[in-house]
Amino acid sequence: MKFDNIIIGGGLSGLTCGIKLAEQGRKCAIVSSGQSAIHFFSGSFDLLGQVNGEEVSHPIEAIKNLADTHPYQRVGIENIGRLAEEAPQLLNRAGLKFCGKADQNHFVLTPMGVMKPSWLTLDDFTCFDQKHSFPWKKVLILNFSGFLDFHTLFVKDGLKKFEVDSQIKNIAMKAFEAIRKNPSEMRSTNIAKVFDKGDVLDEFVKKANLLSEGFEVIILPSVFGLFNKKVVDELKAKVNKPVVLVPAIPPSVPGIRSQMLLSRRFQELGGTFFMGDNVEEGYFENNRLMDIRTNNHGDIKLEADAFILASGSFYSKGIVATHDKLYEPIFGLDIDGDTDRSQWLDEKFFKDQPYMHFGVKADSNFRALMKGQAIENLYVAGSVLGGANALKEGSGAGISLLTSLHVVEQILK
């Protein structure tokens, strides 16, 4: 099978590459081994939250303080500013609407009841301007009886720091009795499926309005709108008080919806999605990747003019570490990381761990290196790149989105 472009990895980075290329008329395929990290999406995409342990208020300005090897620096500050404006537009075309801007972080309420800086926040959730205050002083934290994935006491304890008087209440509804019988079934996605049916929301709203009398705002777990985003909008329109949704323990309802919308956008543009398939090997000739072979396709070769490796980092097994070696498992590409295992970790757990910076080596045009040479048509995007500790910096989604858009520009030149 022949394509213009093949992307290896179906997470945020791979889907961004695929959508952008397909929008430009390219015939594209995505090969994805399975569930992506978008299923754990908290509702917010971070651009840059910290540099050298210091919290960042203005991400674009703060990028200049990052190391030269950081993916943002390699993309270029001017390009980052431009691409950071393009990214939410691409997401919006897929049906995902966000608040936020790249030149100044806003804040979102976390399941721990603290304010976390962020770049883009899905419109299910509430964006706040201040970190050390909460707009309401009398708060109802409302949960579903038997739902254990929303830790209301953490939220309440966190809000105490803002001098907020909060009270926890539970709602019991007949519609949830069946899934309550088995604790493993009382998950956010199963609750959301009940609300998606359309005849339960009004009953819930009546109970919520009754319980919220005397309160200024209601805090709820984000368990609305798995397949139908209108459920979230109807909820906020029908409840008498402002509603603040807070992420629950994954699987994430807005995350799964986001994955479905991005995948649908790619396929509606003509893209081919090979889900549940693994790339086994590639055939190289004259410093070019000519084709790949996958587990499901057997002897059928997948050919393309250009390939993008967006396979993720350690979590997605885009990079693998064993007791004695560190490697990229598909093609054996060069790794930007210390070969001495004793240098992978810092004994102080909360320090900036060296292994978090490891990734596939790439040249200035983000082409993968193998034995020191750039593969002319194999590009690298997203968290499989080295040079950043996305967890410590709060930069993971930004790196995935913006390096992907940048790589697509290199291909389209």
Side-chain angles (χ1 to χ4, degrees), residues 35-50:
Q35 187 182 90
S36 81
I38 304 177
H39 283 238
F40 301 88
F41 178 38
S42 68
S44 292
F45 288 144
D46 299 335
L47 182 60
L48 187 62
Q50 284 192 359

Side-chain angles (χ1 to χ4, degrees), residues 23-132:
E23 286 179 337
Q24 300 303 309
R26 296 298 181 100
K27 182 183 178 183
C28 298
I30 291 176
V31 182
S32 177
S33 60
Q35 187 182 90
S36 81
I38 304 177
H39 283 238
F40 301 88
F41 178 38
S42 68
S44 292
F45 288 144
D46 299 335
L47 182 60
L48 187 62
Q50 284 192 359
V51 175
N52 299 323
E54 297 292 326
E55 189 169 292
V56 165
S57 297
H58 305 284
I60 297 295
E61 181 181 328
I63 286 172
K64 64 185 179 184
N65 298 318
L66 295 170
D68 291 341
T69 54
H70 195 284
Y72 286 157
Q73 291 280 31
R74 295 170 63 191
V75 171
I77 296 176
E78 289 186 5
N79 289 329
I80 288 292
R82 175 177 56 80
L83 296 173
E85 293 183 3
E86 181 181 339
Q89 296 172 15
L90 180 144
L91 296 169
N92 186 42
R93 292 193 294 271
L96 296 168
K97 296 182 179 180
F98 291 83
C99 69
K101 51 187 179 179
D103 58 359
Q104 183 168 356
N105 281 329
H106 62 268
F107 299 92
V108 290
L109 185 66
T110 73
M112 299 300 292
V114 299
M115 292 292 191
K116 174 182 174 295
S118 192
W119 166 37
L120 297 174
T121 295
L122 204 61
D123 65 352
D124 293 40
F125 300 93
T126 305
C127 296
F128 298 95
D129 295 327
Q130 303 295 323
K131 179 181 180 179
H132 300 292

Side-chain angles (χ1 to χ4, degrees), residues 6-19 29-39 255 258-264 266 272-279 308-312 316 330 381 400 404:
I6 294 176
I7 301 111
I8 302 167
L12 180 61
S13 182
L15 283 165
T16 300
C17 289
I19 290 170
I30 291 176
V31 182
S32 177
S33 60
Q35 187 182 90
S36 81
I38 304 177
H39 283 238
S258 298
Q259 173 83 42
M260 289 188 295
L261 287 172
L262 290 169
S263 300
R264 183 186 305 164
F266 173 66
T272 301
F273 210 124
F274 297 120
M275 176 63 77
D277 201 359
N278 293 290
V279 179
I308 301 173
L309 182 68
S311 52
S316 304
I330 300 175
S400 291
S404 296

Side-chain angles (χ1 to χ4, degrees), residues 179-249:
I179 59 176
R180 277 194 64 192
K181 291 177 182 178
N182 185 342
S184 66
E185 295 298 320
M186 195 67 174
R187 306 302 299 275
S188 58
T189 48
N190 292 321
I191 294 173
K193 287 175 184 176
V194 174
F195 279 116
D196 276 344
K197 293 176 182 177
D199 55 350
V200 179
L201 186 64
D202 286 340
E203 180 188 351
F204 173 79
V205 167
K206 287 179 182 178
K207 289 178 178 286
N209 283 336
L210 184 63
L211 291 172
S212 65
E213 289 183 4
F215 294 92
E216 297 175 273
V217 65
I218 301 176
I219 293 178
L220 286 166
S222 179
V223 295
F224 303 90
L226 180 63
F227 302 115
N228 184 5
K229 170 62 168 64
K230 291 181 180 178
V231 174
V232 180
D233 301 329
E234 289 179 15
L235 170 74
K236 293 182 178 182
K238 292 179 177 180
V239 173
N240 294 334
K241 305 292 170 60
V243 172
V244 174
L245 296 180
V246 173
I249 291 175

Side-chain angles (χ1 to χ4, degrees), residues 111-182:
M112 299 300 292
V114 299
M115 292 292 191
K116 174 182 174 295
S118 192
W119 166 37
L120 297 174
T121 295
L122 204 61
D123 65 352
D124 293 40
F125 300 93
T126 305
C127 296
F128 298 95
D129 295 327
Q130 303 295 323
K131 179 181 180 179
H132 300 292
S133 65
F134 196 68
W136 303 278
K137 294 303 178 185
K138 196 163 180 61
V139 175
L140 172 62
I141 304 171
L142 194 55
N143 196 16
F144 300 90
S145 296
F147 182 50
L148 305 179
D149 291 349
F150 181 52
H151 299 300
T152 52
L153 287 174
F154 287 161
V155 180
K156 180 173 181 168
D157 288 346
L159 291 176
K160 283 181 181 178
K161 298 175 183 177
F162 304 129
E163 299 182 351
V164 171
D165 177 19
S166 56
Q167 186 174 339
I168 299 169
K169 294 184 180 181
N170 292 308
I171 279 186
M173 295 175 61
K174 187 175 181 179
F176 299 113
E177 287 181 3
I179 59 176
R180 277 194 64 192
K181 291 177 182 178
N182 185 342

